[in-house]
PDB file of all heavy atoms in Angstrom:
ATOM      1  N   VAL V   1      30.790  74.952 -10.877  1.00 95.00           N
ATOM      2  CA  VAL V   1      31.516  74.143  -9.918  1.00 95.00           C
ATOM      3  C   VAL V   1      32.851  74.823  -9.642  1.00 95.00           C
ATOM      4  O   VAL V   1      33.487  75.356 -10.563  1.00 95.00           O
ATOM      5  CB  VAL V   1      31.727  72.703 -10.423  1.00 95.00           C
ATOM      6  CG1 VAL V   1      32.514  72.682 -11.726  1.00 95.00           C
ATOM      7  CG2 VAL V   1      32.411  71.842  -9.385  1.00 95.00           C
ATOM      8  N   VAL V   2      33.251  74.868  -8.355  1.00 95.00           N
ATOM      9  CA  VAL V   2      34.476  75.560  -7.922  1.00 95.00           C
ATOM     10  C   VAL V   2      35.405  74.541  -7.259  1.00 95.00           C
ATOM     11  O   VAL V   2      34.980  73.747  -6.432  1.00 95.00           O
ATOM     12  CB  VAL V   2      34.137  76.684  -6.913  1.00 95.00           C
ATOM     13  CG1 VAL V   2      35.399  77.413  -6.494  1.00 95.00           C
ATOM     14  CG2 VAL V   2      33.142  77.668  -7.517  1.00 95.00           C
ATOM     15  N   TYR V   3      36.677  74.584  -7.668  1.00 96.00           N
ATOM     16  CA  TYR V   3      37.710  73.721  -7.095  1.00 96.00           C
ATOM     17  C   TYR V   3      38.639  74.595  -6.260  1.00 96.00           C
ATOM     18  O   TYR V   3      39.248  75.529  -6.806  1.00 96.00           O
ATOM     19  CB  TYR V   3      38.494  73.011  -8.206  1.00 96.00           C
ATOM     20  CG  TYR V   3      37.668  72.132  -9.087  1.00 96.00           C
ATOM     21  CD1 TYR V   3      36.976  72.640 -10.180  1.00 96.00           C
ATOM     22  CD2 TYR V   3      37.589  70.755  -8.847  1.00 96.00           C
ATOM     23  CE1 TYR V   3      36.198  71.836 -10.988  1.00 96.00           C
ATOM     24  CE2 TYR V   3      36.822  69.940  -9.662  1.00 96.00           C
ATOM     25  CZ  TYR V   3      36.143  70.484 -10.732  1.00 96.00           C
ATOM     26  OH  TYR V   3      35.372  69.659 -11.543  1.00 96.00           O
ATOM     27  N   PHE V   4      38.772  74.300  -4.983  1.00 96.00           N
ATOM     28  CA  PHE V   4      39.641  75.089  -4.127  1.00 96.00           C
ATOM     29  C   PHE V   4      40.170  74.231  -2.991  1.00 96.00           C
ATOM     30  O   PHE V   4      39.662  73.135  -2.724  1.00 96.00           O
ATOM     31  CB  PHE V   4      38.900  76.298  -3.558  1.00 96.00           C
ATOM     32  CG  PHE V   4      37.783  75.956  -2.609  1.00 96.00           C
ATOM     33  CD1 PHE V   4      38.011  75.880  -1.235  1.00 96.00           C
ATOM     34  CD2 PHE V   4      36.503  75.694  -3.078  1.00 96.00           C
ATOM     35  CE1 PHE V   4      36.985  75.558  -0.370  1.00 96.00           C
ATOM     36  CE2 PHE V   4      35.488  75.369  -2.220  1.00 96.00           C
ATOM     37  CZ  PHE V   4      35.722  75.300  -0.852  1.00 96.00           C
ATOM     38  N   ARG V   5      41.230  74.735  -2.340  1.00 95.00           N
ATOM     39  CA  ARG V   5      41.804  74.041  -1.199  1.00 95.00           C
ATOM     40  C   ARG V   5      42.460  75.056  -0.266  1.00 95.00           C
ATOM     41  O   ARG V   5      42.777  76.177  -0.662  1.00 95.00           O
ATOM     42  CB  ARG V   5      42.839  73.006  -1.638  1.00 95.00           C
ATOM     43  CG  ARG V   5      44.057  73.577  -2.328  1.00 95.00           C
ATOM     44  CD  ARG V   5      44.955  72.488  -2.860  1.00 95.00           C
ATOM     45  NE  ARG V   5      46.147  73.008  -3.512  1.00 95.00           N
ATOM     46  CZ  ARG V   5      47.295  73.266  -2.890  1.00 95.00           C
ATOM     47  NH1 ARG V   5      47.384  72.991  -1.576  1.00 95.00           N
ATOM     48  NH2 ARG V   5      48.328  73.752  -3.518  1.00 95.00           N
ATOM     49  N   VAL V   6      42.670  74.648   0.959  1.00 95.00           N
ATOM     50  CA  VAL V   6      43.297  75.494   1.965  1.00 95.00           C
ATOM     51  C   VAL V   6      44.808  75.375   1.848  1.00 95.00           C
ATOM     52  O   VAL V   6      45.356  74.261   1.864  1.00 95.00           O
ATOM     53  CB  VAL V   6      42.842  75.109   3.378  1.00 95.00           C
ATOM     54  CG1 VAL V   6      43.566  75.947   4.430  1.00 95.00           C
ATOM     55  CG2 VAL V   6      41.335  75.313   3.534  1.00 95.00           C
ATOM     56  N   VAL V   7      45.485  76.506   1.715  1.00 95.00           N
ATOM     57  CA  VAL V   7      46.951  76.504   1.636  1.00 95.00           C
ATOM     58  C   VAL V   7      47.589  77.108   2.892  1.00 95.00           C
ATOM     59  O   VAL V   7      48.775  76.889   3.153  1.00 95.00           O
ATOM     60  CB  VAL V   7      47.416  77.260   0.385  1.00 95.00           C
ATOM     61  CG1 VAL V   7      47.018  76.525  -0.870  1.00 95.00           C
ATOM     62  CG2 VAL V   7      46.871  78.682   0.344  1.00 95.00           C
ATOM     63  N   GLN V   8      46.830  77.872   3.677  1.00 93.00           N
ATOM     64  CA  GLN V   8      47.297  78.443   4.927  1.00 93.00           C
ATOM     65  C   GLN V   8      46.260  78.169   6.025  1.00 93.00           C
ATOM     66  O   GLN V   8      45.321  78.946   6.178  1.00 93.00           O
ATOM     67  CB  GLN V   8      47.566  79.944   4.770  1.00 93.00           C
ATOM     68  CG  GLN V   8      48.704  80.285   3.813  1.00 93.00           C
ATOM     69  CD  GLN V   8      48.901  81.773   3.648  1.00 93.00           C
ATOM     70  OE1 GLN V   8      48.002  82.477   3.199  1.00 93.00           O
ATOM     71  NE2 GLN V   8      50.079  82.259   4.015  1.00 93.00           N
ATOM     72  N   PRO V   9      46.419  77.071   6.739  1.00 93.00           N
ATOM     73  CA  PRO V   9      45.387  76.664   7.729  1.00 93.00           C
ATOM     74  C   PRO V   9      45.128  77.719   8.783  1.00 93.00           C
ATOM     75  O   PRO V   9      43.981  77.895   9.232  1.00 93.00           O
ATOM     76  CB  PRO V   9      45.959  75.389   8.322  1.00 93.00           C
ATOM     77  CG  PRO V   9      46.919  74.867   7.305  1.00 93.00           C
ATOM     78  CD  PRO V   9      47.507  76.059   6.650  1.00 93.00           C
ATOM     79  N   GLU V  10      46.184  78.423   9.228  1.00 92.00           N
ATOM     80  CA  GLU V  10      45.974  79.399  10.299  1.00 92.00           C
ATOM     81  C   GLU V  10      45.060  80.528   9.865  1.00 92.00           C
ATOM     82  O   GLU V  10      44.206  80.993  10.623  1.00 92.00           O
ATOM     83  CB  GLU V  10      47.311  79.940  10.816  1.00 92.00           C
ATOM     84  CG  GLU V  10      48.086  80.809   9.831  1.00 92.00           C
ATOM     85  CD  GLU V  10      48.868  80.023   8.811  1.00 92.00           C
ATOM     86  OE1 GLU V  10      48.723  78.789   8.770  1.00 92.00           O
ATOM     87  OE2 GLU V  10      49.622  80.652   8.047  1.00 92.00           O
ATOM     88  N   LYS V  11      45.183  80.971   8.610  1.00 93.00           N
ATOM     89  CA  LYS V  11      44.307  82.030   8.109  1.00 93.00           C
ATOM     90  C   LYS V  11      42.885  81.513   7.906  1.00 93.00           C
ATOM     91  O   LYS V  11      41.908  82.250   8.130  1.00 93.00           O
ATOM     92  CB  LYS V  11      44.848  82.598   6.783  1.00 93.00           C
ATOM     93  CG  LYS V  11      46.114  83.420   6.937  1.00 93.00           C
ATOM     94  CD  LYS V  11      46.487  84.050   5.600  1.00 93.00           C
ATOM     95  CE  LYS V  11      47.706  84.958   5.741  1.00 93.00           C
ATOM     96  NZ  LYS V  11      48.066  85.598   4.444  1.00 93.00           N
ATOM     97  N   ALA V  12      42.754  80.262   7.458  1.00 93.00           N
ATOM     98  CA  ALA V  12      41.427  79.699   7.249  1.00 93.00           C
ATOM     99  C   ALA V  12      40.642  79.593   8.570  1.00 93.00           C
ATOM    100  O   ALA V  12      39.411  79.544   8.552  1.00 93.00           O
ATOM    101  CB  ALA V  12      41.533  78.322   6.596  1.00 93.00           C
ATOM    102  N   VAL V  13      41.338  79.563   9.692  1.00 93.00           N
ATOM    103  CA  VAL V  13      40.678  79.483  11.006  1.00 93.00           C
ATOM    104  C   VAL V  13      40.480  80.862  11.611  1.00 93.00           C
ATOM    105  O   VAL V  13      39.406  81.174  12.164  1.00 93.00           O
ATOM    106  CB  VAL V  13      41.488  78.588  11.968  1.00 93.00           C
ATOM    107  CG1 VAL V  13      40.877  78.606  13.354  1.00 93.00           C
ATOM    108  CG2 VAL V  13      41.548  77.166  11.443  1.00 93.00           C
ATOM    109  N   ILE V  14      41.486  81.726  11.482  1.00 92.00           N
ATOM    110  CA  ILE V  14      41.450  83.030  12.162  1.00 92.00           C
ATOM    111  C   ILE V  14      40.717  84.100  11.368  1.00 92.00           C
ATOM    112  O   ILE V  14      39.926  84.868  11.926  1.00 92.00           O
ATOM    113  CB  ILE V  14      42.902  83.504  12.470  1.00 92.00           C
ATOM    114  CG1 ILE V  14      43.589  82.510  13.410  1.00 92.00           C
ATOM    115  CG2 ILE V  14      42.912  84.879  13.076  1.00 92.00           C
ATOM    116  CD1 ILE V  14      45.043  82.797  13.652  1.00 92.00           C
ATOM    117  N   GLN V  15      40.952  84.152  10.067  1.00 92.00           N
ATOM    118  CA  GLN V  15      40.438  85.242   9.259  1.00 92.00           C
ATOM    119  C   GLN V  15      38.973  85.116   8.865  1.00 92.00           C
ATOM    120  O   GLN V  15      38.343  86.105   8.508  1.00 92.00           O
ATOM    121  CB  GLN V  15      41.290  85.387   7.983  1.00 92.00           C
ATOM    122  CG  GLN V  15      42.748  85.694   8.255  1.00 92.00           C
ATOM    123  CD  GLN V  15      42.964  87.020   8.949  1.00 92.00           C
ATOM    124  OE1 GLN V  15      42.176  87.946   8.824  1.00 92.00           O
ATOM    125  NE2 GLN V  15      44.059  87.109   9.702  1.00 92.00           N
ATOM    126  N   VAL V  16      38.419  83.924   8.889  1.00 93.00           N
ATOM    127  CA  VAL V  16      37.031  83.720   8.470  1.00 93.00           C
ATOM    128  C   VAL V  16      36.403  82.677   9.394  1.00 93.00           C
ATOM    129  O   VAL V  16      37.078  81.754   9.870  1.00 93.00           O
ATOM    130  CB  VAL V  16      36.964  83.288   7.000  1.00 93.00           C
ATOM    131  CG1 VAL V  16      37.637  81.956   6.780  1.00 93.00           C
ATOM    132  CG2 VAL V  16      35.548  83.275   6.465  1.00 93.00           C
ATOM    133  N   GLU V  17      35.107  82.849   9.646  1.00 91.00           N
ATOM    134  CA  GLU V  17      34.443  81.933  10.562  1.00 91.00           C
ATOM    135  C   GLU V  17      34.310  80.535   9.983  1.00 91.00           C
ATOM    136  O   GLU V  17      34.578  79.529  10.662  1.00 91.00           O
ATOM    137  CB  GLU V  17      33.035  82.475  10.901  1.00 91.00           C
ATOM    138  CG  GLU V  17      32.269  81.615  11.885  1.00 91.00           C
ATOM    139  CD  GLU V  17      30.909  82.180  12.229  1.00 91.00           C
ATOM    140  OE1 GLU V  17      30.573  83.257  11.695  1.00 91.00           O
ATOM    141  OE2 GLU V  17      30.192  81.561  13.043  1.00 91.00           O
ATOM    142  N   ASN V  18      33.870  80.425   8.726  1.00 92.00           N
ATOM    143  CA  ASN V  18      33.732  79.136   8.062  1.00 92.00           C
ATOM    144  C   ASN V  18      34.137  79.347   6.602  1.00 92.00           C
ATOM    145  O   ASN V  18      33.380  79.929   5.816  1.00 92.00           O
ATOM    146  CB  ASN V  18      32.295  78.627   8.163  1.00 92.00           C
ATOM    147  CG  ASN V  18      32.149  77.197   7.687  1.00 92.00           C
ATOM    148  OD1 ASN V  18      32.797  76.795   6.726  1.00 92.00           O
ATOM    149  ND2 ASN V  18      31.280  76.430   8.335  1.00 92.00           N
ATOM    150  N   HIS V  19      35.321  78.865   6.258  1.00 93.00           N
ATOM    151  CA  HIS V  19      35.833  79.145   4.908  1.00 93.00           C
ATOM    152  C   HIS V  19      35.030  78.442   3.836  1.00 93.00           C
ATOM    153  O   HIS V  19      34.953  78.910   2.687  1.00 93.00           O
ATOM    154  CB  HIS V  19      37.306  78.727   4.815  1.00 93.00           C
ATOM    155  CG  HIS V  19      37.562  77.265   4.902  1.00 93.00           C
ATOM    156  ND1 HIS V  19      37.599  76.580   6.095  1.00 93.00           N
ATOM    157  CD2 HIS V  19      37.762  76.332   3.926  1.00 93.00           C
ATOM    158  CE1 HIS V  19      37.838  75.317   5.870  1.00 93.00           C
ATOM    159  NE2 HIS V  19      37.932  75.117   4.562  1.00 93.00           N
ATOM    160  N   LEU V  20      34.370  77.308   4.137  1.00 93.00           N
ATOM    161  CA  LEU V  20      33.553  76.615   3.140  1.00 93.00           C
ATOM    162  C   LEU V  20      32.317  77.429   2.786  1.00 93.00           C
ATOM    163  O   LEU V  20      32.007  77.637   1.610  1.00 93.00           O
ATOM    164  CB  LEU V  20      33.172  75.236   3.660  1.00 93.00           C
ATOM    165  CG  LEU V  20      34.316  74.228   3.877  1.00 93.00           C
ATOM    166  CD1 LEU V  20      33.789  72.963   4.515  1.00 93.00           C
ATOM    167  CD2 LEU V  20      35.022  73.929   2.567  1.00 93.00           C
ATOM    168  N   VAL V  21      31.604  77.897   3.817  1.00 93.00           N
ATOM    169  CA  VAL V  21      30.398  78.702   3.587  1.00 93.00           C
ATOM    170  C   VAL V  21      30.768  80.020   2.930  1.00 93.00           C
ATOM    171  O   VAL V  21      30.059  80.492   2.003  1.00 93.00           O
ATOM    172  CB  VAL V  21      29.651  78.919   4.915  1.00 93.00           C
ATOM    173  CG1 VAL V  21      28.453  79.845   4.703  1.00 93.00           C
ATOM    174  CG2 VAL V  21      29.186  77.607   5.487  1.00 93.00           C
ATOM    175  N   ALA V  22      31.849  80.637   3.388  1.00 94.00           N
ATOM    176  CA  ALA V  22      32.247  81.925   2.816  1.00 94.00           C
ATOM    177  C   ALA V  22      32.606  81.794   1.339  1.00 94.00           C
ATOM    178  O   ALA V  22      32.224  82.634   0.517  1.00 94.00           O
ATOM    179  CB  ALA V  22      33.414  82.495   3.612  1.00 94.00           C
ATOM    180  N   THR V  23      33.319  80.763   0.994  1.00 94.00           N
ATOM    181  CA  THR V  23      33.699  80.559  -0.401  1.00 94.00           C
ATOM    182  C   THR V  23      32.471  80.262  -1.269  1.00 94.00           C
ATOM    183  O   THR V  23      32.348  80.736  -2.400  1.00 94.00           O
ATOM    184  CB  THR V  23      34.709  79.405  -0.540  1.00 94.00           C
ATOM    185  OG1 THR V  23      35.842  79.683   0.284  1.00 94.00           O
ATOM    186  CG2 THR V  23      35.170  79.240  -1.962  1.00 94.00           C
ATOM    187  N   SER V  24      31.525  79.527  -0.722  1.00 93.00           N
ATOM    188  CA  SER V  24      30.295  79.218  -1.469  1.00 93.00           C
ATOM    189  C   SER V  24      29.495  80.487  -1.721  1.00 93.00           C
ATOM    190  O   SER V  24      29.033  80.713  -2.868  1.00 93.00           O
ATOM    191  CB  SER V  24      29.452  78.206  -0.672  1.00 93.00           C
ATOM    192  OG  SER V  24      28.212  77.982  -1.313  1.00 93.00           O
ATOM    193  N   GLN V  25      29.310  81.316  -0.724  1.00 94.00           N
ATOM    194  CA  GLN V  25      28.528  82.543  -0.908  1.00 94.00           C
ATOM    195  C   GLN V  25      29.222  83.505  -1.847  1.00 94.00           C
ATOM    196  O   GLN V  25      28.607  84.139  -2.697  1.00 94.00           O
ATOM    197  CB  GLN V  25      28.317  83.222   0.454  1.00 94.00           C
ATOM    198  CG  GLN V  25      27.446  82.428   1.398  1.00 94.00           C
ATOM    199  CD  GLN V  25      26.032  82.228   0.873  1.00 94.00           C
ATOM    200  OE1 GLN V  25      25.435  83.144   0.280  1.00 94.00           O
ATOM    201  NE2 GLN V  25      25.486  81.035   1.049  1.00 94.00           N
ATOM    202  N   LEU V  26      30.559  83.593  -1.744  1.00 94.00           N
ATOM    203  CA  LEU V  26      31.311  84.470  -2.633  1.00 94.00           C
ATOM    204  C   LEU V  26      31.202  83.971  -4.083  1.00 94.00           C
ATOM    205  O   LEU V  26      31.075  84.760  -5.020  1.00 94.00           O
ATOM    206  CB  LEU V  26      32.768  84.521  -2.195  1.00 94.00           C
ATOM    207  CG  LEU V  26      33.706  85.338  -3.079  1.00 94.00           C
ATOM    208  CD1 LEU V  26      33.292  86.804  -3.097  1.00 94.00           C
ATOM    209  CD2 LEU V  26      35.143  85.216  -2.593  1.00 94.00           C
ATOM    210  N   SER V  27      31.232  82.675  -4.295  1.00 93.00           N
ATOM    211  CA  SER V  27      31.116  82.111  -5.643  1.00 93.00           C
ATOM    212  C   SER V  27      29.757  82.428  -6.250  1.00 93.00           C
ATOM    213  O   SER V  27      29.663  82.761  -7.449  1.00 93.00           O
ATOM    214  CB  SER V  27      31.327  80.597  -5.600  1.00 93.00           C
ATOM    215  OG  SER V  27      32.604  80.279  -5.056  1.00 93.00           O
ATOM    216  N   GLN V  28      28.698  82.344  -5.458  1.00 93.00           N
ATOM    217  CA  GLN V  28      27.355  82.638  -5.990  1.00 93.00           C
ATOM    218  C   GLN V  28      27.218  84.093  -6.409  1.00 93.00           C
ATOM    219  O   GLN V  28      26.708  84.396  -7.498  1.00 93.00           O
ATOM    220  CB  GLN V  28      26.307  82.300  -4.910  1.00 93.00           C
ATOM    221  CG  GLN V  28      26.237  80.816  -4.577  1.00 93.00           C
ATOM    222  CD  GLN V  28      25.224  80.523  -3.510  1.00 93.00           C
ATOM    223  OE1 GLN V  28      24.139  81.140  -3.440  1.00 93.00           O
ATOM    224  NE2 GLN V  28      25.530  79.592  -2.631  1.00 93.00           N
ATOM    225  N   THR V  29      27.661  85.005  -5.547  1.00 92.00           N
ATOM    226  CA  THR V  29      27.542  86.446  -5.883  1.00 92.00           C
ATOM    227  C   THR V  29      28.444  86.811  -7.066  1.00 92.00           C
ATOM    228  O   THR V  29      28.038  87.601  -7.933  1.00 92.00           O
ATOM    229  CB  THR V  29      27.907  87.293  -4.669  1.00 92.00           C
ATOM    230  OG1 THR V  29      29.226  86.931  -4.187  1.00 92.00           O
ATOM    231  CG2 THR V  29      26.924  87.072  -3.549  1.00 92.00           C
ATOM    232  N   THR V  30      29.641  86.240  -7.132  1.00 93.00           N
ATOM    233  CA  THR V  30      30.545  86.522  -8.252  1.00 93.00           C
ATOM    234  C   THR V  30      29.981  85.977  -9.562  1.00 93.00           C
ATOM    235  O   THR V  30      30.102  86.600 -10.624  1.00 93.00           O
ATOM    236  CB  THR V  30      31.926  85.934  -7.980  1.00 93.00           C
ATOM    237  OG1 THR V  30      32.427  86.404  -6.737  1.00 93.00           O
ATOM    238  CG2 THR V  30      32.893  86.305  -9.077  1.00 93.00           C
TER     239      THR V  30
END
């Protein structure tokens, strides 16, 4: 289980398409 939150909203929108999906996939591979 991973606990996370957005601290910079502008980066969460501009730098990644979907930060929830990206964090989930990164957690699985890690």
Side-chain angles (χ1 to χ4, degrees):
V1 60
V2 181
Y3 299 84
F4 66 92
R5 64 186 181 90
V6 176
V7 294
Q8 294 178 299
E10 68 279 7
K11 289 186 177 181
V13 175
I14 297 175
Q15 299 297 333
V16 64
E17 181 178 1
N18 189 324
H19 68 279
L20 295 175
V21 176
T23 304
S24 175
Q25 295 298 319
L26 177 62
S27 301
Q28 295 179 37
T29 55
T30 305

